[in-house]
Structure formats: structure tokens, C-alpha cells
């Protein structure tokens, strides 16, 4: 448990004790509620071994997270705490039939709406001690007032800002994974790079390229003015004698129209070179190898790409190799299509005129369903964009970044505030060797939170050719 979680747990448990075992607490995202639930159950069971405990949550994924939080314990110890412990989603909890003081302890988590109020009140009556964790403030005065009448507010100094700082400041293990591009892509990269280098000898920097295309409003200079100045600086003039080959070469390279064309071409070249690296197919096999050889098969992994197109390609590649429903997309570039349920059946319309027909989903609906499957553990890998919706709510301490040109993990954790990246985040960061992706590491400022190491490549021997394969 990280230090911030320890602080949260102790502060709330002290408040719960002051309230004589009856209390409610608002813990907004990204506060992690599971260490609190785990610690409360352990404390009660240690004091009262035969205590009958019930935990009621909003979603199945929350139930799974609670159960998984006990996996840090040995099986015998875990079984001790699971004895007389029930973890139910609200849909399975028939609270109206519970008897008064049937439970020694009840923990309610994520029941945030007025529709949940009756269940909360039923559970409070059925338990000696009751803790209610509200995870979203839906601004319903009646709900808040009624809950606090029976479960007084536990006063703390916890804030979402503090929680975000804690998440961002937790340690990171970064493993850098080099990728070798195909000969074709390497030639293309070199072609782009040589043109860019030659062009930069004319323009000096990218800012000048932009001014040649769009002008310099700050200095009241048009794009034509900028191009003319560059042409003159390189020896061009209107009265060049182009019958002389040397002068003709100057005219071909440096006349204002040639500079205008080069400015447009280099702009596109820079973008094309970047896209070649960001979305390079050689990375697909490297991602597969990482998942297959370096990450435990039960670990949930988030893969982050620059573009939705590449995120989609990753999903298709992994599912072709590992089997359907291994990886799923969460972004806005998903084509309309069908979705299978947890039994592998394609979802159909259940009501209306199209009842029984296959249901077509759009990207937002597909992303939402895929996220549910990921949170429930049905899908192990989620493929997202760097700019995917920050509403993403999930948990994963293992991340694959498909390029060094993406934001680093600290910035990503800051943006995706509703994702629990764990108390120790493991990051695999891919880059194409001998390219600007590798150079990017030299431009980065060291961060004391991130420990960096290069991936150890597996070496094998080809008995047929006699070659060492890396």
C-alpha cells in the first residue's frame, strides 16, 4: 500500500471509530477505495474472527477488485478472511429481506444515487457497524441528507487534488524496447531524413519553414517577403544568368517559388517521417513478444498509441495471434460493428422491431462495452489513444507506450486522473532504433521517479545458418 493510501485508510478508520462504527465518506476519483475496504475487513476480522461481514458494491468490476485485493495474502490467510464474508453487487443484494443486526459489519461502496437510498437504509438496519463509501457527488440533497441521518459524515482532509498528486508521484519502472524497422521502411526513413537535413540547411529551423508558408505577422512580413529574403541570402536574384549551369542550379534550388514548394514538401515530409515511426508495423511483433514473454498472462495491460488507426491495428494483430477477445479498443477510430458478450455470442437487439437481429454499435458504445469487459477481467489488454477520453475509469499498473514521441508516463498519469496506475507503474516504451525516436531519450530531462533500463533482448542460435539471432 502506498503512503498516500495508508494516510487515507488511517484517517477514515479513525473517523469511523469516532462515529462509533456508523459513518459515510465521500471519496471522489481518483482516490483508491480498495485499500480502505481491505484494511477495514482485516481489522474487524482480527478483532472478531466469527464476524459476519457483507460488502455491497455498484458494479461487478468493483467486486472483482475487492476480491483481488486479498491476493497479496497466502491462501490459508485469505480463506480465513473470506470466511463469513460476502461481496455482492447491488443487483444481487436483496436487502429488503435482511434481518436486523444480521451482519457485524456492512461496507457499501459506489451506491451514489437516490435509487440506491432504500438499499443503503436497509443495510444500515441489518448491521451493527456500517461504512458507506460514496464515490460520486451527484448533487442530490435528499440522498445526502437521508444517508447522513443514519450514517454521519466522516470528516477528513482528503482531496482529489491530493490523490492526483500521490498517483503522479508514485515510482515508475521504465523498460525501453528497441525495434528494428524493415529494409523498406529504413530506406524510406533515410529518404525523408536526407531531404529534411538538406532543407534545414536552407531554412535553419522549423519556425522559418512555418513563416515561409504562413508569413510572420508579428514582424508584419508576408510569406512572400520571408521567401524572398531566404532566396537572396542564398545568392539568388532576379537577374541571374541561368544559361550558366551554376547559376541555373542556384535558381532551381533557391528561387522564391522553389522555396515555397520545398516549405510545403518538408512540412509533409516531417509529418510522414513521424507517422512512419509512430505507426511502424515492426512494433506489432515487439508488443506481442512483451505480452507473451515478459508480462504475466493474468496482468491487465493498457497499450497507448498516438493514433486510433494504429491502436486498432494493434488490437487486430493481437487478437489474430492470441485469439478473439484478448485485446479491445477504447478510442474514437473504431469502425461500426458487432460485439460479442462474455459467452462469445454476438449481441442482438432484445426488443423493438429489430428484436433478434444483430446489433450494430458505434465507436463510443463499443469503447464503453470494451471498458466494462476490461474492468471485469474478461479482456486483459486495452488499446487506447494518447488522446482518448479522460473519462476512462479503470486500473492497470502495466502500460505499453508504442513510441518515445508520446508523452511520458508522468504526463499520462496526470491526464488520465481516473485511472489507478498502482503504487508502482511498469512501463514498456518502444522506439525504432537509429531514428529520432531513439534521439528523443537524449533530449529528456531525467526524472527521479522513473528508473530506466534497456530491455534485454533474447538471443538464440539458428542451427541451419549458423547465425546468432537477436
Amino acid at each position: 500500500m502506498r503512503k498516500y493510501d495508508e494516510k487515507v485508510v488511517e484517517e477514515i478508520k479513525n473517523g469511523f471509530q469516532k462515529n462509533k462504527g456508523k459513518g459515510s465518506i465521500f471519496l471522489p476519483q481518483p482516490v483508491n477505495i480498495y485499500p480502505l475496504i481491505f484494511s477495514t475487513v482485516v481489522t474487524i476480522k482480527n478483532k472478531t474472527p466469527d464476524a459476519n461481514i457483507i460488502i455491497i458494491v455498484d458494479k461487478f468490476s468493483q467486486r472483482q477488485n475487492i476480491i483481488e485485493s486479498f491476493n497479496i495474502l497466502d491462501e490459508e490467510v485469505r480463506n480465513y478472511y473470506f470466511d463469513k464474508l460476502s461481496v455482492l453487487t447491488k443487483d444481487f443484494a436483496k436487502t429488503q429481506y435482511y434481518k436486523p443486526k444480521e451482519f457485524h459489519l456492512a461496507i457499501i461502496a459506489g451506491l451514489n444515487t437516490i435509487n440506491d437510498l432504500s438499499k443503503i437504509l436497509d443495510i444500515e438496519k441489518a448491521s451493527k457497524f456500517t461504512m458507506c463509501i460514496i464515490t460520486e457527488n451527484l448533487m442530490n440533497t435528499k440522498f445526502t441528507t437521508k444517508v447522513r441521518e443514519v450514517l454521519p459524515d466522516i470528516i477528513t482532509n482528503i482531496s482529489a487534488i491530493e490523490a492526483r498528486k500521490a498517483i503522479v508521484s508514485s515510482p515508475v519502472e521504465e523498460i525501453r524496447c528497441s525495434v528494428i524497422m524493415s529494409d523498406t521502411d529504413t530506406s524510406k526513413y533515410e529518404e525523408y531524413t536526407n531531404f529534411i537535413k538538406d532543407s534545414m540547411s536552407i531554412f535553419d529551423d522549423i519556425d522559418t519553414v512555418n513563416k515561409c508558408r504562413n508569413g510572420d505577422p508579428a514582424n508584419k512580413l508576408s510569406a512572400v517577403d520571408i521567401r524572398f529574403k531566404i532566396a537572396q541570402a542564398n545568392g539568388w536574384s532576379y537577374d541571374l544568368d541561368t544559361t550558366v549551369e551554376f547559376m541555373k542550379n542556384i535558381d532551381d534550388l533557391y528561387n522564391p517559388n522553389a522555396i515555397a514548394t520545398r516549405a510545403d514538401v518538408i512540412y509533409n515530409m516531417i509529418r510522414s517521417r513521424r507517422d512512419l515511426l509512430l505507426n511502424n508495423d515492426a512494433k506489432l511483433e515487439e508488443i506481442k513478444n512483451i505480452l507473451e514473454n515478459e508480462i504475466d498472462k493474468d496482468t491487465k495491460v493498457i497499450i497507448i498509441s498516438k493514433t486510433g488507426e494504429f491502436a486498432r491495428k494493434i488490437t487486430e494483430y493481437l487478437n489474430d495471434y492470441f485469439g478473439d477477445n484478448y485485446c479491445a479498443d477504447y478510442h474514437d477510430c473504431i469502425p461500426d460493428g458487432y460485439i460479442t458478450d462474455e459467452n462469445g455470442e454476438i449481441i442482438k437487439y432484445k426488443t423493438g422491431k429489430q428484436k433478434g437481429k444483430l446489433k450494430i454499435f458505434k465507436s463510443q458504445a463499443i469503447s464503453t462495452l470494451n471498458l466494462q469487459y476490461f474492468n471485469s477481467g474478461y479482456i486483459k489488454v486495452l488499446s487506447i489513444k494518447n488522446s482518448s477520453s479522460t473519462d476512462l475509469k479503470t486500473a492497470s499498473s502495466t502500460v505499453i507506450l508504442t513510441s518515445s514521441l508520446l508523452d511520458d508516463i508522468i504526463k499520462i498519469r496526470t491526464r488520465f486522473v481516473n485511472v489507478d496506475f498502482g503504487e508502482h507503474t511498469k512501463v514498456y516504451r518502444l522506439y525504432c532504433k537509429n531514428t529520432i525516436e531513439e534521439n528523443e531519450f537524449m533530449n529528456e530531462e531525467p526524472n527521479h521517479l522513473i528508473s530506466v533500463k534497456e530491455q534485454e533482448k533474447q538471443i538464440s542460435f539458428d542451427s541451419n545458418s549458423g547465425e546468432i539471432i537477436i
Side-chain angles (χ1 to χ4, degrees), residues 208-270:
T208 305
V209 174
N210 289 328
K211 288 176 181 177
C212 283
R213 299 175 75 239
N214 304 308
D216 183 6
N219 293 306
K220 298 180 180 180
L221 294 172
S222 69
V224 173
D225 295 331
I226 301 293
R227 296 195 293 263
F228 185 74
K229 282 190 170 187
I230 292 174
Q232 284 185 314
N234 284 278
W236 180 88
S237 66
Y238 285 114
D239 55 0
L240 273 178
D241 184 359
T242 56
T243 61
V244 178
E245 186 176 353
F246 178 73
M247 296 300 181
K248 184 178 183 304
N249 289 338
I250 290 177
D251 184 66
D252 289 342
L253 282 173
Y254 301 118
N255 77 70
N257 290 335
I259 288 174
T261 300
R262 185 176 283 266
D264 286 334
V265 173
I266 188 178
Y267 197 83
N268 292 328
M269 282 275 192
I270 290 171

Side-chain angles (χ1 to χ4, degrees), residues 2 20 38 61 66 76 151 295 314 340 366 434 440:
R2 57 189 170 211
K20 298 181 179 178
F38 170 85
S61 59
I66 291 169
E76 185 177 347
L151 299 171
I295 298 175
I314 289 169
T340 56
I366 293 173
N434 300 321
E440 182 67 21

Side-chain angles (χ1 to χ4, degrees), residues 15-17 19-25 40 44 54 56 101 103-109 119-133 147 150-152 154:
F16 188 57
Q17 190 172 15
N19 283 8
K20 298 181 179 178
K22 293 281 187 180
S24 59
I25 177 73
T40 304
I44 294 295
I54 187 169
I56 297 178
K101 305 299 181 246
F103 304 101
H104 186 78
L105 169 69
I107 299 176
I108 308 159
K119 284 188 181 291
I120 295 173
L121 298 179
D122 288 342
I123 297 165
E124 186 277 328
K125 292 176 184 177
S127 57
K128 181 178 180 181
F129 303 118
T130 308
M131 177 184 291
C132 180
I133 305 168
V147 169
V150 295
L151 299 171
I154 298 172

Side-chain angles (χ1 to χ4, degrees), residues 172 174 176 408-411 429 439-453:
V172 174
E174 179 179 302
R176 294 176 177 174
D408 64 29
I409 190 61
I410 303 300
K411 291 178 182 176
R429 203 169 175 204
N439 296 342
E440 182 67 21
F441 295 129
M442 291 184 278
N443 298 326
E444 288 184 351
E445 292 289 334
N447 189 312
H448 71 282
L449 294 173
I450 303 176
S451 63
V452 176
K453 68 177 182 179

Side-chain angles (χ1 to χ4, degrees), residues 370-385:
N370 286 342
L371 180 59
Q372 291 175 7
Y373 291 153
F374 181 71
N375 286 340
S376 70
Y378 175 62
I379 286 170
K380 294 300 181 184
V381 180
L382 196 67
S383 184
I384 75 172
K385 286 197 320 185

